[in-house]
Amino acid sequence: MFEVSCLHLAANLWLVAIKAAFPLPPMNLRRYITSFAFISALASCAFAQPLVSPEVHADRTITFRYNAPGAKEVLLYSEAVTKAQPLQQDKQGVWSFTTAPVAPDIYVYSYIVDGRRVLDPANPVIKYNLFSTENQIHVPGPKTLPWEMNDVPHGIIHRHHYRSTIVDEERDVWVYTPPGYDATSAEKLPVLYLLHGFSDAEDAWVTVGRANVILDNLIASGAAKPMLVVMPRGYGNREVVAGGWAILRTPGWQQAWQNSNARFGQSLLNEIIPLVERNYRVSSDRNARAIAGLSMGGTQSLLIGLTASDRFAWIAAFSAGGMPEDYDQHFLGLKDKLNPDLRLLWIGCGTEDSLITGNKKFSAWLNAHGVQHTWKETPGQHNFLLWRRYLAEVIPLLFQESAPAKH
Amino acid sequence: MFEVSCLHLAANLWLVAIKAAFPLPPMNLRRYITSFAFISALASCAFAQPLVSPEVHADRTITFRYNAPGAKEVLLYSEAVTKAQPLQQDKQGVWSFTTAPVAPDIYVYSYIVDGRRVLDPANPVIKYNLFSTENQIHVPGPKTLPWEMNDVPHGIIHRHHYRSTIVDEERDVWVYTPPGYDATSAEKLPVLYLLHGFSDAEDAWVTVGRANVILDNLIASGAAKPMLVVMPRGYGNREVVAGGWAILRTPGWQQAWQNSNARFGQSLLNEIIPLVERNYRVSSDRNARAIAGLSMGGTQSLLIGLTASDRFAWIAAFSAGGMPEDYDQHFLGLKDKLNPDLRLLWIGCGTEDSLITGNKKFSAWLNAHGVQHTWKETPGQHNFLLWRRYLAEVIPLLFQESAPAKH
């Protein structure tokens, strides 16, 4: 009975909270809230004391908390735990779970409350996603970790808005310029085109992958050449991401997927690269152009990069997914160009990622046809824990005079 | 019974969905999903057909949908409806509600499912907020509406990362440069410092307020002078936004609020303005510097702008909230400087906003002390529907040779 009334009260209080808070500013908000006597009386129900969540302890365990009196079940799904973990409820209706000590890293997590995903209201750090936005928690580590913010010069992220006539959509492309980039200098810098995964957007390599922080650190230490990094939106049509995850189960989806990758390739070559080369002091020499991406973006890097090896001399694919498997049809005609053209062809995948099978198969096909490349098998799954490391490993290889050995 | 099992199944399916989808890419995701026979069998439970939500109809009604078999109550809270509206469930467990025809605009909304806020999984457009991220829906209107994207040259948003020693925090500041901004030109442009409201962040004026679109349109039509717009994070300490909405009910919060506004002012004058003037071709003349903001940002614009009228000649406050009410103590010593110093002092508030009382009081105090200003009372509430219009009204007034009459 308490649960039910509490559920309904919670609903109303949320509305009050949203209405009060969401438009109204603080001084007024306080008057507004305290004008509801019953809220004070039942504060523990929906307006409890401020919660700290997640809390990272000195021993690098993490306590996740969520205030939900009346909930039947609160589950934590996170890269910080090996499987979904149930939170336990205390007398005040605050649910919590504490992990074992975890390695310093950045972890994505979600709460599933009675079967429905909710964001952690106590944690403003989110991982944006087209279908299912979640939260992130940073467990700080030594400054030598490539994604740790250090006291070094920082590059700038530029967000350009343009209309893609090829995709028929208004969209943004994000451009990272390295520290000290000078639009007035004559020096022309190289460019990495860095592609996100399916269901993510152009922000993901910055807001989750920390590409700008990784570049800042590698450039500061001299490990990487100063370069621009261009992060476009990687969909070639609307259909491929229309309607949430369920879209994947619709008959037309696979066709939309192939069309999307093809169209995106046309847009990259004919709209995005020209936009970048109009707006920035960058080289248009193929030896100064790289393409890399994760998952869907890894597949696109291979499809676009190998097909247009006259435009890209450096290609890297992280945990590529959704590759067409008729390699001969796509790549056989190109194979003789690739060794002379490519300075780097880098393919990596996590050993705990079921996609490793397909990636191994493609690496074997390249070997069978004498196409030199780096094949990397790494302990890890299909997530940004691996991709941040891959980016930090590949960036120093790019645009170097002496290209690394490909085997 | 169905409800309960469905709730639990939904929980598990969500985990599958997250696990499958969240790391795994599409082709593999499909294999992965279809490998769960029971998902196909019970697809209607958590993995239904793709939903369109919200759907804007030709008559400008909006249908909001949410797939939640087993839910007891789904409520819509939105600027598009006058009060919370219950959605109705169909046989498939899809909940929906259709509004009356609404005016072309951009509306924020949330679903409250059994007392808990959830994002609309079918709508990737969110309104980010530190405490309660929601969704947005755009009801398109005539291209003359200032926030409608038109085929005009677009400015660029630049995101600078810096360490604020005054706030002791790593943070971003967003900078809009107008179309055709040329870092190599000798021309120095004016700058508007544009401040967000409480619980929002530096992105809000772009991602919800559409400030870049409004500027693009007004500059293209010749109504506004080309200018930079600087959007910093408006908190002067961590405490003021720590722990979700409940923080507002804690004893120390009011002190944190006052300290936050004071510290933010110091950071704006001593860190943010210098950063902007180091990085861009902008004038450092007070006549080329404006400050404006909404709600908390309106109060900050008045506190900072009036106190530092030697730095700002143009001040605008939209629906200012949380103003200190001892006006004499804060402003009496300044009043004689303000008429000669200020080219614009613009104060506006919605008539349906309970904050209008305080704003009227302040306008009356200014009148009583002969401080010239524009007072604007507008039908409207405390939200971006009003603030987008206020921005579009104020921008053309800024940096004009002939300052508008202040009464």
Short mmCIF file of all heavy atoms in Angstrom, two decimals, chain B residues 306-342:
data_model
loop_
_atom_site.label_atom_id
_atom_site.label_comp_id
_atom_site.label_asym_id
_atom_site.label_seq_id
_atom_site.Cartn_x
_atom_site.Cartn_y
_atom_site.Cartn_z
N LEU B 306 26.06 45.18 -13.89
CA LEU B 306 25.86 46.48 -13.24
C LEU B 306 27.07 46.83 -12.37
O LEU B 306 27.49 47.98 -12.28
CB LEU B 306 24.58 46.48 -12.40
CG LEU B 306 23.27 46.29 -13.18
CD1 LEU B 306 22.08 46.16 -12.23
CD2 LEU B 306 23.06 47.44 -14.15
N THR B 307 27.66 45.83 -11.73
CA THR B 307 28.82 46.08 -10.88
C THR B 307 30.05 46.43 -11.71
O THR B 307 30.86 47.25 -11.31
CB THR B 307 29.12 44.83 -10.01
OG1 THR B 307 27.90 44.39 -9.41
CG2 THR B 307 30.14 45.14 -8.94
N ALA B 308 30.15 45.79 -12.88
CA ALA B 308 31.32 46.04 -13.74
C ALA B 308 30.87 46.75 -15.02
O ALA B 308 31.18 46.33 -16.13
CB ALA B 308 32.01 44.73 -14.09
N SER B 309 30.15 47.85 -14.83
CA SER B 309 29.66 48.58 -16.02
C SER B 309 30.82 49.25 -16.75
O SER B 309 30.65 49.76 -17.86
CB SER B 309 28.61 49.62 -15.62
OG SER B 309 29.20 50.59 -14.77
N ASP B 310 32.00 49.21 -16.16
CA ASP B 310 33.19 49.67 -16.90
C ASP B 310 33.65 48.61 -17.90
O ASP B 310 34.48 48.87 -18.76
CB ASP B 310 34.33 49.98 -15.92
CG ASP B 310 34.69 48.77 -15.07
OD1 ASP B 310 33.76 48.03 -14.65
OD2 ASP B 310 35.90 48.54 -14.84
N ARG B 311 33.08 47.40 -17.80
CA ARG B 311 33.46 46.31 -18.72
C ARG B 311 32.35 46.01 -19.72
O ARG B 311 32.61 45.47 -20.79
CB ARG B 311 33.79 45.03 -17.94
CG ARG B 311 34.74 45.21 -16.77
CD ARG B 311 36.18 45.42 -17.20
NE ARG B 311 36.75 44.25 -17.86
CZ ARG B 311 37.31 43.23 -17.19
NH1 ARG B 311 37.35 43.22 -15.88
NH2 ARG B 311 37.84 42.22 -17.87
N PHE B 312 31.09 46.30 -19.33
CA PHE B 312 29.94 45.96 -20.19
C PHE B 312 29.07 47.19 -20.41
O PHE B 312 28.66 47.83 -19.45
CB PHE B 312 29.07 44.88 -19.54
CG PHE B 312 29.81 43.60 -19.24
CD1 PHE B 312 30.36 43.38 -17.98
CD2 PHE B 312 29.94 42.62 -20.21
CE1 PHE B 312 31.04 42.20 -17.70
CE2 PHE B 312 30.62 41.44 -19.93
CZ PHE B 312 31.17 41.23 -18.68
N ALA B 313 28.77 47.49 -21.68
CA ALA B 313 27.87 48.61 -21.97
C ALA B 313 26.46 48.15 -22.29
O ALA B 313 25.55 48.97 -22.44
CB ALA B 313 28.43 49.44 -23.11
N TRP B 314 26.28 46.83 -22.43
CA TRP B 314 24.98 46.27 -22.84
C TRP B 314 24.62 45.13 -21.91
O TRP B 314 25.40 44.17 -21.77
CB TRP B 314 25.05 45.77 -24.29
CG TRP B 314 25.75 46.69 -25.24
CD1 TRP B 314 27.11 46.85 -25.39
CD2 TRP B 314 25.14 47.60 -26.16
NE1 TRP B 314 27.37 47.78 -26.35
CE2 TRP B 314 26.18 48.26 -26.85
CE3 TRP B 314 23.81 47.91 -26.48
CZ2 TRP B 314 25.96 49.22 -27.82
CZ3 TRP B 314 23.57 48.86 -27.47
CH2 TRP B 314 24.64 49.51 -28.12
N ILE B 315 23.46 45.21 -21.26
CA ILE B 315 23.05 44.20 -20.27
C ILE B 315 21.61 43.80 -20.53
O ILE B 315 20.75 44.67 -20.72
CB ILE B 315 23.16 44.74 -18.83
CG1 ILE B 315 24.59 45.21 -18.51
CG2 ILE B 315 22.71 43.69 -17.82
CD1 ILE B 315 24.73 45.91 -17.17
N ALA B 316 21.35 42.48 -20.54
CA ALA B 316 19.96 42.01 -20.65
C ALA B 316 19.74 40.84 -19.71
O ALA B 316 20.59 39.96 -19.58
CB ALA B 316 19.65 41.60 -22.09
N ALA B 317 18.60 40.86 -19.02
CA ALA B 317 18.23 39.80 -18.07
C ALA B 317 16.86 39.25 -18.46
O ALA B 317 15.88 39.99 -18.51
CB ALA B 317 18.22 40.34 -16.65
N PHE B 318 16.82 37.94 -18.73
CA PHE B 318 15.58 37.26 -19.10
C PHE B 318 15.08 36.47 -17.89
O PHE B 318 15.77 35.55 -17.44
CB PHE B 318 15.80 36.29 -20.26
CG PHE B 318 16.47 36.87 -21.48
CD1 PHE B 318 17.09 36.02 -22.40
CD2 PHE B 318 16.49 38.24 -21.73
CE1 PHE B 318 17.71 36.53 -23.53
CE2 PHE B 318 17.11 38.75 -22.87
CZ PHE B 318 17.73 37.90 -23.77
N SER B 319 13.90 36.82 -17.36
CA SER B 319 13.30 36.03 -16.27
C SER B 319 14.28 35.78 -15.14
O SER B 319 14.40 34.66 -14.63
CB SER B 319 12.81 34.67 -16.82
OG SER B 319 12.18 34.82 -18.07
N ALA B 320 14.97 36.83 -14.74
CA ALA B 320 16.00 36.70 -13.70
C ALA B 320 15.40 36.09 -12.44
O ALA B 320 14.31 36.45 -12.01
CB ALA B 320 16.61 38.07 -13.38
N GLY B 321 16.14 35.16 -11.85
CA GLY B 321 15.67 34.49 -10.63
C GLY B 321 16.78 34.39 -9.60
O GLY B 321 17.94 34.21 -9.96
N GLY B 322 16.40 34.50 -8.33
CA GLY B 322 17.38 34.38 -7.26
C GLY B 322 18.18 35.65 -7.04
O GLY B 322 19.28 35.60 -6.49
N MET B 323 17.61 36.80 -7.46
CA MET B 323 18.27 38.09 -7.21
C MET B 323 18.29 38.35 -5.71
O MET B 323 17.30 38.09 -5.03
CB MET B 323 17.48 39.23 -7.88
CG MET B 323 17.83 39.48 -9.32
SD MET B 323 19.40 40.39 -9.48
CE MET B 323 18.83 42.08 -9.15
N PRO B 324 19.40 38.88 -5.19
CA PRO B 324 19.36 39.38 -3.81
C PRO B 324 18.35 40.52 -3.75
O PRO B 324 18.21 41.28 -4.71
CB PRO B 324 20.78 39.88 -3.58
CG PRO B 324 21.34 40.12 -4.94
CD PRO B 324 20.66 39.16 -5.86
N GLU B 325 17.61 40.62 -2.66
CA GLU B 325 16.54 41.62 -2.63
C GLU B 325 16.93 42.91 -1.91
O GLU B 325 16.16 43.88 -1.87
CB GLU B 325 15.24 41.01 -2.10
CG GLU B 325 14.54 40.21 -3.21
CD GLU B 325 13.53 39.18 -2.69
OE1 GLU B 325 13.08 39.31 -1.55
OE2 GLU B 325 13.22 38.25 -3.46
N ASP B 326 18.15 42.92 -1.33
CA ASP B 326 18.62 44.18 -0.70
C ASP B 326 19.31 45.01 -1.79
O ASP B 326 20.52 45.16 -1.82
CB ASP B 326 19.58 43.86 0.45
CG ASP B 326 20.64 42.84 0.05
OD1 ASP B 326 20.53 42.23 -1.05
OD2 ASP B 326 21.59 42.64 0.82
N TYR B 327 18.47 45.56 -2.69
CA TYR B 327 18.97 46.28 -3.86
C TYR B 327 19.89 47.43 -3.45
O TYR B 327 20.94 47.65 -4.05
CB TYR B 327 17.81 46.85 -4.68
CG TYR B 327 16.81 45.81 -5.14
CD1 TYR B 327 15.45 46.07 -5.02
CD2 TYR B 327 17.21 44.60 -5.68
CE1 TYR B 327 14.51 45.15 -5.45
CE2 TYR B 327 16.27 43.67 -6.10
CZ TYR B 327 14.92 43.94 -5.98
OH TYR B 327 14.00 43.03 -6.40
N ASP B 328 19.49 48.16 -2.40
CA ASP B 328 20.29 49.32 -2.00
C ASP B 328 21.74 48.90 -1.75
O ASP B 328 22.68 49.50 -2.26
CB ASP B 328 19.72 49.96 -0.73
CG ASP B 328 18.44 50.76 -1.03
OD1 ASP B 328 18.06 50.80 -2.22
OD2 ASP B 328 17.83 51.28 -0.09
N GLN B 329 21.88 47.82 -0.99
CA GLN B 329 23.23 47.41 -0.62
C GLN B 329 24.06 47.06 -1.86
O GLN B 329 25.23 47.39 -1.96
CB GLN B 329 23.16 46.21 0.33
CG GLN B 329 24.52 45.80 0.89
CD GLN B 329 24.44 44.55 1.76
OE1 GLN B 329 23.42 44.33 2.42
NE2 GLN B 329 25.47 43.72 1.70
N HIS B 330 23.41 46.40 -2.83
CA HIS B 330 24.16 45.96 -4.01
C HIS B 330 24.35 47.06 -5.05
O HIS B 330 25.40 47.11 -5.70
CB HIS B 330 23.46 44.76 -4.67
CG HIS B 330 23.68 43.47 -3.95
ND1 HIS B 330 22.99 43.12 -2.81
CD2 HIS B 330 24.55 42.45 -4.21
CE1 HIS B 330 23.40 41.93 -2.40
NE2 HIS B 330 24.35 41.51 -3.23
N PHE B 331 23.36 47.93 -5.22
CA PHE B 331 23.37 48.78 -6.42
C PHE B 331 23.33 50.28 -6.15
O PHE B 331 23.60 51.06 -7.06
CB PHE B 331 22.19 48.39 -7.33
CG PHE B 331 22.17 46.93 -7.70
CD1 PHE B 331 21.14 46.11 -7.26
CD2 PHE B 331 23.19 46.37 -8.45
CE1 PHE B 331 21.12 44.75 -7.58
CE2 PHE B 331 23.17 45.02 -8.78
CZ PHE B 331 22.14 44.21 -8.35
N LEU B 332 23.02 50.69 -4.90
CA LEU B 332 22.82 52.12 -4.68
C LEU B 332 24.07 52.93 -5.02
O LEU B 332 24.01 53.96 -5.69
CB LEU B 332 22.38 52.38 -3.23
CG LEU B 332 21.73 53.75 -2.98
CD1 LEU B 332 20.48 53.91 -3.85
CD2 LEU B 332 21.34 53.91 -1.51
N GLY B 333 25.23 52.38 -4.63
CA GLY B 333 26.48 53.10 -4.87
C GLY B 333 26.82 53.21 -6.35
O GLY B 333 27.66 54.03 -6.74
N LEU B 334 26.18 52.38 -7.17
CA LEU B 334 26.53 52.33 -8.60
C LEU B 334 25.61 53.22 -9.44
O LEU B 334 25.94 53.54 -10.59
CB LEU B 334 26.41 50.89 -9.11
CG LEU B 334 27.10 49.78 -8.33
CD1 LEU B 334 26.61 48.41 -8.82
CD2 LEU B 334 28.62 49.89 -8.49
N LYS B 335 24.46 53.59 -8.89
CA LYS B 335 23.37 54.09 -9.74
C LYS B 335 23.78 55.28 -10.61
O LYS B 335 23.37 55.38 -11.76
CB LYS B 335 22.13 54.42 -8.92
CG LYS B 335 22.26 55.64 -8.02
CD LYS B 335 20.96 55.88 -7.25
CE LYS B 335 21.11 57.00 -6.24
NZ LYS B 335 21.58 58.28 -6.83
N ASP B 336 24.67 56.14 -10.06
CA ASP B 336 25.02 57.33 -10.85
C ASP B 336 25.91 57.00 -12.04
O ASP B 336 25.94 57.76 -13.01
CB ASP B 336 25.69 58.37 -9.94
CG ASP B 336 24.75 58.81 -8.82
OD1 ASP B 336 23.52 58.75 -9.04
OD2 ASP B 336 25.25 59.13 -7.72
N LYS B 337 26.59 55.86 -11.98
CA LYS B 337 27.44 55.46 -13.12
C LYS B 337 26.59 54.89 -14.27
O LYS B 337 26.98 54.95 -15.43
CB LYS B 337 28.46 54.39 -12.70
CG LYS B 337 29.49 54.85 -11.68
CD LYS B 337 30.41 53.70 -11.27
CE LYS B 337 31.47 53.36 -12.30
NZ LYS B 337 31.06 52.47 -13.39
N LEU B 338 25.44 54.32 -13.91
CA LEU B 338 24.76 53.46 -14.88
C LEU B 338 24.23 54.21 -16.09
O LEU B 338 24.41 53.78 -17.23
CB LEU B 338 23.67 52.65 -14.18
CG LEU B 338 24.20 51.75 -13.04
CD1 LEU B 338 23.08 50.96 -12.41
CD2 LEU B 338 25.30 50.81 -13.53
N ASN B 339 23.57 55.34 -15.88
CA ASN B 339 23.04 56.07 -17.05
C ASN B 339 24.14 56.47 -18.03
O ASN B 339 24.01 56.21 -19.23
CB ASN B 339 22.20 57.26 -16.62
CG ASN B 339 20.86 56.82 -16.07
OD1 ASN B 339 20.42 55.71 -16.33
ND2 ASN B 339 20.23 57.67 -15.27
N PRO B 340 25.23 57.07 -17.55
CA PRO B 340 26.28 57.38 -18.53
C PRO B 340 26.95 56.13 -19.11
O PRO B 340 27.28 56.10 -20.29
CB PRO B 340 27.28 58.21 -17.72
CG PRO B 340 26.95 57.99 -16.28
CD PRO B 340 25.52 57.66 -16.22
N ASP B 341 27.09 55.08 -18.32
CA ASP B 341 27.85 53.91 -18.78
C ASP B 341 27.07 53.04 -19.77
O ASP B 341 27.61 52.57 -20.76
CB ASP B 341 28.25 53.03 -17.59
CG ASP B 341 29.49 53.56 -16.88
OD1 ASP B 341 29.99 54.62 -17.31
OD2 ASP B 341 29.93 52.94 -15.90
N LEU B 342 25.79 52.80 -19.48
CA LEU B 342 25.07 51.73 -20.18
C LEU B 342 24.43 52.20 -21.47
O LEU B 342 23.75 53.22 -21.51
CB LEU B 342 24.02 51.12 -19.25
CG LEU B 342 24.56 50.40 -18.01
CD1 LEU B 342 23.43 49.79 -17.21
CD2 LEU B 342 25.57 49.34 -18.40
#
